[in-house]
Amino acid sequence: MEVAVNLELKTLNVKQDITFYNTSNDSLISIVLNDWNNAFSDKNTPLAKRFSDEFYRGFHVAKPEERGSTTILNLTDSENLALEWERTDKNPDFIVVKLNRKLNPGEKIDLHLTYISKIPSDKFTHYGFGQNGGMKLKNWFLTPARFENHKFIKNNNFNLDDIANASSDYEVEIKIPNNYSITTDLNSVSKDVSNTAFSSYLFSGTNRTDFNLFIEKQNSFRSYTTGDLEVLSDLKTKKLNDVQRAIVINRVATFANEFIGKYPHRKITVSQADYDRNPFYGLNQLPSFISPFSDEFIFEITFLKTYLNNYLKTSLRLDPRRDNWVYDGIQIYTMMKYMEENHLDQKMLGRLSDMKLFKSYNITNLTFNEQYNYYYMLMARKNLDQPIGDPKNTLIKFNEQIASKYRAGLSLSYLDDYLNHNIVPESVQEFYNLNKKRQTNRYDFEDILTKNSPKKINWFFETIIDSREIIDYKFTNVSRTKDSVQFQIKNKTGIYAPIPIYGIRKNEVVFKTWIEPKNNNDSIYNFERKNADKIVINYDNEVPEYNQRNNWKSLKNVVITNRPIKFNFAKDLEDPYYNQILYIPTLTYNYYDGFTPGFRFHNKTILDKPFTFDINPAYSLKAQTISGSSAFVWNQYYRNSTLYNVRYSLSQNYYHYAPDATYLRLNPMVQFRIREKNFRDNRKQLFLFRQVIVNREASDYITDNSTPNYSVFNARYSNTKTELINHFNFMTDVQFSGDFGKLSAEIEYRRLFENNRKLNLRLYVGSFLYNTTNSDYFSFGLDRPTDYMFDYNFYGRSESTGFFSQQFVMAEGGFKSKIEPSYANQWISTVNASYAVWNWIELYGDIGFTKSKHQSADFVYDSGVRLNLVPDYFELYFPVYSNNGWEITQTKYNEKIRFVITLSPKTLVNLFTRKWL
């Protein structure tokens, strides 16, 4: 390639020659060239849709000059004959070049290309042009795709850093302005600075699938030599000097060289951009002034993870998408071995583990390596884990970047511990060396492991790698004598996997044996007791086991069958040896109770569990009475069904609904949750059935209080598919009580257009099936529901005037102006719409009909301006014109403004978790 860099236009002018050798046994009539830079060309590419799926807004609202593209000017063969090529709208990130003649096995062909690569901003993926005028370049040029199993691999760019390039030899001549520097992991051949304005560099590389280029005004990379390898790094660390960094880099590079194999190239780059794309998630990301780790350790773990990632990506000639578990497995497994050798006593919480304040927490006992299992288990307990052998692009974001990655490393560590003959490390080295000779895939690695293993390990690939089956064992029929212990093992899931049994005495291991329980659960095991006072399954977490709370049995004379209770403040990891009760102070607010401090007692540890309770007694400072809430929940998960969760719950609330009256709500409920087979599909369905029982004290403040106590049966179905560009929700709701029955439906649609304008549409229809009530308490509300089932967080639910009456909840009629009649006791039909005119400023309008008994239908409408600062969480509505006339000119206009404010931390957290799950 001859590349001329235009830093002003953010373009690369490329003249490229490709000599393509057909090393396959197939005759080729076309060649596929990867063009991942063109994935940034518009808002409808597969990459853009991936950003939308994960609620990343930056790409959609970006300026045209911030996007990238590839403009092909010329493509000919060795005889300068034009070649036909195709790039479709569906697949803009690769091109298919149709050859003028059939290319037989062993033959070669020359392609000559001229094109312009417009580089995107680095704010999308951390690669591209930066604010300082430089460029971080990756996947910016056209290159032959990997050929395997009689076809070219045609992968779209999904921002997963998993391009499947054919292994190639590179020769790159690049011209940049004289006042800029260049850093690359290619080998330097020559440098020409004879031109006063531009410098020309020549680089080369052999047997590579990719390379990095960094163009900067001020070179931020420093060079470190370890053996015959040059390491170029710009990882940020302010408090370490060059000598300290060099020691860490040498230690990591030496370990990787010895544990995995000799790096096949002379240079490697370890950049801050690489790390920022895929950081080590954990407490090391905290600001330095509160970090529990030393600066040297943070730099070491940062460098280790990034170095190993680049080390393997540039060495292993795998398909990084389909064979991703091999990359992840070797990377995390190597990190675990590195920590065992260099930081064996390092804890997950670092220095916090030594503080007396945290000594009672189970999380402080975890070693640094044990955290990997808990990150994986976060997803397993939510029933969101996926097979680690699945292609990388099918994983949800949390699994792709964290849980599946860690599970892959844990799996190799599990196999290593089970085989116990250095089989796995030797197999990693053998596989790594094989990659220096030829293109490989995951099955080559699996064949090497199988060949080297003294035992059958087909279960490892079938269960651990290629399925999401869970492992769970427990003891049954335990008996002991002074010298021996006898027991049976129950396989709770029927999934075969070896498991270690430990004998523990005073928290010290006195024996450890691997057993291989069969599915029949009939095997009886006898071990020499060796004075053990407890036997434990999977004591050191070698096996990624679903539930460890059933893993131990006491062998003491007085057998304690119930776990003792342990109280901890705030949050902790699950402790299998205790029943944990967590407590934390709370503070809630409503107009009638005022500020309501309380204490919340619950058992919700960091990992989800089937049964949870949450009890929150509180004291109302304004009413000077006891109040509070409680909830008891049982979750039942189905691993291999689209009906993935059934949730049974019973909740209770006791607060004031008026200045002089309290309410008690009981809410037994069952929910059926349905998801798509493709976990990345954002469509969710819910069936809900509940009985809402309300007892209210009589109130002199409420004039319409004819039905203080009532019970409502409610059934609801919702179907939601949401992403950044499109949001669709359909819900239908039916309610039955002694005095009324009603049916309603709601359709909501949200669309973000290419011009960054946003349209919101909502249709609501509701009708009474029967109604013998004599008040509007159960009627449909036009601008504000009465919320007789106490579902919404109204701060002043009984207020009809004043600030709290202006709180808006999008429910029922959804109007913002207060229009009479404000209730309908027969039927209602409304349409709510808003359209963004600039950023978060929107125009809204509502129209509808309301009908009450013995009255004709009323046509209602309103309009105004909506400040949609944080959708559904913080919004302001300014009415302009409605049935009431020009409201903006009327007196006391400030009392007509409506607001949405959500104070619930749990609700706000959903804004940030939706892109991960």
Side-chain angles (χ1 to χ4, degrees):
M1 284 185 284
E2 294 177 19
V3 184
V5 179
N6 189 325
L7 291 165
E8 235 177 84
L9 297 177
K10 314 293 190 292
T11 60
L12 307 177
N13 295 291
V14 183
K15 184 180 178 184
Q16 181 174 352
D17 299 323
I18 299 174
T19 302
F20 184 90
Y21 292 84
N22 184 4
T23 57
S24 74
N25 296 321
D26 300 286
S27 295
L28 305 178
I29 59 172
S30 63
I31 294 173
V32 175
L33 300 180
N34 284 324
D35 183 14
W36 276 25
N37 188 64
N38 201 57
F40 296 89
S41 56
D42 62 52
K43 301 180 182 183
N44 298 303
T45 66
L47 176 63
K49 292 173 183 175
R50 182 89 173 190
F51 284 141
S52 175
D53 283 349
E54 295 178 353
F55 298 93
Y56 173 64
R57 196 168 183 264
F59 185 76
H60 192 90
V61 301
K63 300 172 184 176
E65 57 267 28
E66 293 178 314
R67 295 200 176 85
S69 63
T70 305
T71 304
I72 299 175
L73 305 176
N74 194 27
L75 202 168
T76 62
D77 63 11
S78 53
E79 298 171 355
N80 288 324
L81 296 174
L83 291 172
E84 187 180 345
W85 58 274
E86 181 184 41
R87 176 167 58 201
T88 65
D89 292 337
K90 184 179 178 183
N91 298 301
D93 32 23
F94 59 80
I95 67 173
V96 179
V97 181
K98 297 177 182 178
L99 303 179
N100 290 332
R101 62 176 178 85
K102 187 178 290 186
L103 189 65
N104 294 314
E107 292 184 343
K108 67 177 181 177
I109 189 171
D110 291 330
L111 306 179
H112 306 290
L113 303 96
T114 306
Y115 57 92
I116 300 172
S117 286
K118 183 176 178 297
I119 303 303
S121 168
D122 63 1
K123 69 181 185 180
F124 309 133
T125 67
H126 299 287
Y127 292 109
F129 70 83
Q131 296 298 315
N132 57 4
M135 289 182 178
K136 293 166 278 191
L137 300 176
K138 195 179 183 74
N139 303 332
W140 53 272
F141 56 91
L142 294 166
T143 185
R146 177 186 174 101
F147 189 88
E148 186 177 18
N149 296 328
H150 314 294
K151 62 182 179 181
F152 286 97
I153 294 175
K154 300 176 181 178
N155 284 345
N156 296 118
N157 183 355
F158 289 132
N159 188 29
L160 297 173
D161 196 20
D162 61 349
I163 192 168
N165 289 335
S167 185
S168 305
D169 297 340
Y170 292 99
E171 196 171 280
V172 183
E173 184 180 346
I174 187 164
K175 187 164 67 171
I176 62 171
N178 266 337
N179 57 336
Y180 280 78
S181 67
I182 189 166
T183 304
T184 180
D185 49 351
L186 292 175
N187 303 321
S188 298
V189 177
S190 65
K191 177 182 178 182
D192 182 2
V193 292
S194 56
N195 190 304
T196 56
F198 294 93
S199 298
S200 211
Y201 297 83
L202 185 63
F203 300 104
S204 69
T206 58
N207 257 348
R208 303 184 66 101
T209 55
D210 203 0
F211 61 87
N212 297 321
L213 281 173
F214 300 90
I215 301 169
E216 302 173 287
K217 253 186 181 176
Q218 297 290 329
N219 191 347
S220 61
F221 283 82
R222 300 193 180 189
S223 175
Y224 304 87
T225 302
T226 171
D228 55 1
L229 176 64
E230 182 183 7
V231 180
L232 299 159
S233 177
D234 69 339
L235 284 179
K236 297 173 185 174
T237 175
K238 295 179 180 178
K239 298 186 179 179
L240 267 65
N241 58 41
D242 270 351
V243 174
Q244 291 172 305
R245 292 186 216 187
I247 291 171
V248 169
I249 289 171
N250 183 68
R251 183 160 62 231
V252 170
T254 302
F255 183 86
N257 191 65
E258 294 173 353
F259 189 77
I260 300 174
K262 183 176 171 58
Y263 189 65
H265 309 298
R266 295 193 337 229
K267 292 199 292 184
I268 186 172
T269 56
V270 182
S271 71
Q272 187 65 40
D274 292 327
Y275 178 73
D276 290 341
R277 276 186 58 81
N278 204 338
F280 186 92
Y281 294 94
L283 291 177
N284 58 294
Q285 291 181 291
L286 292 172
S288 57
F289 68 93
I290 56 172
S291 173
F293 300 105
S294 68
D295 295 306
E296 184 175 359
F297 180 77
I298 290 174
F299 177 75
E300 187 168 4
I301 200 71
T302 300
F303 181 82
L304 173 66
K305 188 174 192 294
T306 313
Y307 179 83
L308 289 176
N309 183 65
N310 292 0
Y311 193 90
L312 294 169
K313 285 289 173 68
T314 50
S315 303
L316 300 183
R317 290 193 268 173
L318 294 157
D319 176 351
R321 179 164 297 175
R322 194 189 65 182
D323 303 331
N324 180 60
W325 86 263
V326 179
Y327 282 107
D328 288 345
I330 295 176
Q331 180 194 22
I332 302 301
Y333 174 62
T334 304
M335 289 181 67
M336 294 174 71
K337 289 297 183 182
Y338 178 88
M339 292 299 296
E340 288 175 8
E341 183 171 306
N342 295 282
H343 301 282
L344 182 62
D345 297 328
Q346 182 65 266
K347 297 292 187 180
M348 177 181 174
L349 291 189
R351 290 186 288 254
L352 296 180
S353 295
D354 299 325
M355 297 176 64
K356 288 184 178 180
L357 180 64
F358 300 106
K359 280 294 183 183
S360 63
Y361 288 84
N362 187 40
I363 195 172
T364 62
N365 298 320
L366 290 190
T367 65
F368 195 84
N369 279 347
E370 284 179 305
Q371 69 181 298
Y372 296 122
N373 186 58
Y374 278 92
Y375 278 116
Y376 153 68
M377 202 56 67
L378 274 174
M379 291 292 98
R381 291 286 187 90
K382 293 180 184 294
N383 201 9
L384 285 172
D385 57 307
Q386 295 170 270
I388 59 176
D390 280 3
K392 191 174 184 179
N393 62 306
T394 65
L395 304 178
I396 60 177
K397 188 174 181 179
F398 193 95
N399 287 335
E400 179 257 314
Q401 294 203 3
I402 305 175
S404 293
K405 185 182 289 287
Y406 292 170
R407 169 76 189 268
L410 287 166
S411 298
L412 287 181
S413 179
Y414 170 26
L415 186 64
D416 181 29
D417 202 301
Y418 169 64
L419 296 177
N420 197 28
H421 291 291
N422 214 33
I423 302 293
V424 174
E426 290 175 359
S427 298
V428 167
Q429 292 181 0
E430 185 177 341
F431 177 68
Y432 188 79
N433 290 328
L434 180 64
N435 277 267
K436 296 177 182 178
K437 302 173 185 176
R438 64 173 176 84
Q439 185 170 281
T440 61
N441 57 47
R442 60 171 282 187
Y443 301 107
D444 294 314
F445 184 48
E446 294 174 10
D447 289 344
I448 289 171
L449 284 170
T450 302
K451 170 179 66 75
N452 293 340
S453 173
K455 305 176 183 179
K456 288 185 67 174
I457 57 170
N458 58 309
W459 57 269
F460 177 77
F461 306 113
E462 294 169 2
T463 301
I464 306 300
I465 304 300
D466 286 326
S467 84
R468 60 189 299 267
E469 301 288 356
I470 57 176
I471 302 166
D472 191 11
Y473 290 109
K474 65 177 288 187
F475 287 114
T476 60
N477 301 323
V478 177
S479 61
R480 81 269 188 260
T481 66
K482 183 179 180 181
D483 301 317
S484 67
V485 57
Q486 185 181 90
F487 58 85
Q488 289 178 282
I489 291 286
K490 182 176 181 180
N491 185 343
K492 295 191 69 179
T493 60
I495 302 304
Y496 168 78
I499 197 86
I501 304 295
Y502 286 81
I504 306 296
R505 176 174 173 79
K506 296 181 179 179
N507 296 323
E508 296 289 332
V509 176
V510 294
F511 69 78
K512 173 188 175 182
T513 306
W514 281 87
I515 64 172
E516 302 179 23
K518 305 303 179 186
N519 291 339
N520 55 22
N521 300 321
D522 291 334
S523 299
I524 298 174
Y525 299 92
N526 282 284
F527 289 126
E528 184 182 348
R529 182 169 172 177
K530 296 183 179 179
N531 294 319
D533 55 35
K534 182 165 54 180
I535 55 172
V536 184
I537 300 170
N538 197 25
Y539 181 72
D540 276 341
N541 280 337
E542 296 94 333
V543 182
E545 195 182 7
Y546 187 75
N547 178 20
Q548 295 190 19
R549 288 177 59 79
N550 55 14
N551 276 18
W552 65 280
K553 285 289 184 180
S554 174
L555 301 178
K556 294 179 180 178
N557 290 329
V558 179
V559 179
I560 301 174
T561 55
N562 295 318
R563 297 177 181 85
I565 292 176
K566 182 168 76 170
F567 288 88
N568 279 122
F569 180 74
K571 208 77 167 172
D572 194 9
L573 283 179
E574 187 174 274
D575 191 330
Y577 306 119
Y578 291 90
N579 285 317
Q580 293 157 289
I581 296 180
L582 307 168
Y583 60 93
I584 191 168
T586 60
L587 183 65
T588 58
Y589 177 83
N590 71 61
Y591 184 49
Y592 312 118
D593 288 294
F595 287 102
T596 308
F599 255 96
R600 178 183 170 216
F601 299 90
H602 64 96
N603 69 334
K604 297 179 182 177
T605 52
I606 294 173
L607 298 182
D608 288 0
K609 55 184 65 175
F611 173 73
T612 59
F613 64 85
D614 196 326
I615 302 171
N616 189 183
Y619 184 75
S620 166
L621 295 179
K622 187 174 182 179
Q624 296 187 344
T625 60
I626 298 295
S627 60
S629 62
S630 65
F632 303 87
V633 179
W634 175 263
N635 277 297
Q636 193 169 353
Y637 287 109
Y638 298 92
R639 301 280 299 174
N640 300 307
S641 171
T642 52
L643 172 63
Y644 75 100
N645 171 241
V646 178
R647 177 176 296 178
Y648 307 90
S649 63
L650 173 64
S651 62
Q652 168 268 329
N653 302 81
Y654 182 72
Y655 292 101
H656 281 78
Y657 75 95
D660 59 346
T662 61
Y663 74 91
L664 170 66
R665 183 186 81 150
L666 295 176
N667 183 19
M669 178 165 56
V670 59
Q671 300 174 61
F672 300 87
R673 298 173 185 269
I674 297 170
R675 66 180 172 204
E676 302 300 300
K677 289 183 178 179
N678 174 12
F679 281 23
R680 285 197 59 85
D681 193 319
N682 288 334
R683 183 179 300 281
K684 300 290 187 294
Q685 296 180 70
L686 171 70
F687 289 91
L688 178 152
F689 303 92
R690 61 177 176 165
Q691 188 77 33
V692 179
I693 304 162
V694 177
N695 285 336
R696 296 186 299 159
E697 287 183 343
S699 169
D700 295 332
Y701 186 79
I702 306 298
T703 56
D704 186 4
N705 204 23
S706 56
T707 313
N709 304 324
Y710 50 89
S711 176
V712 181
F713 172 77
N714 179 210
R716 183 177 298 170
Y717 167 74
S718 68
N719 187 323
T720 304
K721 185 175 176 67
T722 185
E723 58 186 60
L724 179 71
I725 306 301
N726 285 298
H727 166 83
F728 175 82
N729 177 64
F730 169 75
M731 185 192 68
T732 183
D733 184 278
V734 63
Q735 301 172 19
F736 293 104
S737 185
D739 294 329
F740 73 90
K742 61 199 303 190
L743 176 67
S744 63
E746 177 184 315
I747 298 175
E748 185 180 23
Y749 177 71
R750 191 180 296 163
R751 169 76 176 180
L752 180 63
F753 295 104
E754 287 201 32
N755 62 2
N756 296 333
R757 299 282 192 262
K758 186 165 66 174
L759 174 68
N760 297 278
L761 292 173
R762 176 180 177 267
L763 168 67
Y764 181 82
V765 292
S767 176
F768 277 90
L769 303 175
Y770 59 91
N771 185 4
T772 60
T773 62
N774 55 8
S775 75
D776 277 325
Y777 185 64
F778 299 104
S779 297
F780 294 107
L782 182 64
D783 68 275
R784 178 179 165 108
T786 59
D787 192 26
Y788 50 85
M789 293 200 290
F790 293 87
D791 286 332
Y792 305 115
N793 188 25
F794 279 116
Y795 303 118
R797 62 178 55 253
S798 297
E799 299 304 296
S800 56
T801 59
F803 175 75
F804 289 104
S805 71
Q806 295 170 235
Q807 183 182 357
F808 175 74
V809 170
M810 179 55 84
E812 298 185 358
F815 269 55
K816 291 79 188 175
S817 294
K818 297 181 179 181
I819 300 168
E820 294 296 335
S822 55
Y823 295 101
N825 61 25
Q826 194 167 354
W827 58 263
I828 187 173
S829 176
T830 61
V831 175
N832 316 112
S834 65
Y835 184 74
V837 291
W838 181 80
N839 208 350
W840 36 264
I841 299 177
E842 301 179 7
L843 300 178
Y844 75 80
D846 307 308
I847 60 172
F849 292 90
T850 64
K851 175 71 169 67
S852 291
K853 290 184 288 187
H854 314 303
Q855 296 178 19
S856 58
D858 289 290
F859 174 67
V860 286
Y861 61 90
D862 71 359
S863 61
V865 177
R866 175 192 190 194
L867 301 187
N868 190 10
L869 302 172
V870 182
D872 304 325
Y873 300 95
F874 182 44
E875 305 172 9
L876 294 173
Y877 294 87
F878 297 87
V880 175
Y881 188 75
S882 70
N883 292 75
N884 298 327
W886 288 98
E887 298 197 45
I888 199 167
T889 63
Q890 295 171 4
T891 59
K892 296 184 178 180
Y893 179 73
N894 61 306
E895 295 180 4
K896 298 176 182 292
I897 298 169
R898 306 295 294 273
F899 65 87
V900 174
I901 297 179
T902 300
L903 300 178
S904 166
K906 182 179 179 182
T907 308
L908 290 170
V909 164
N910 290 337
L911 274 176
F912 305 100
T913 58
R914 61 184 183 175
K915 67 180 181 180
W916 288 95
L917 308 179

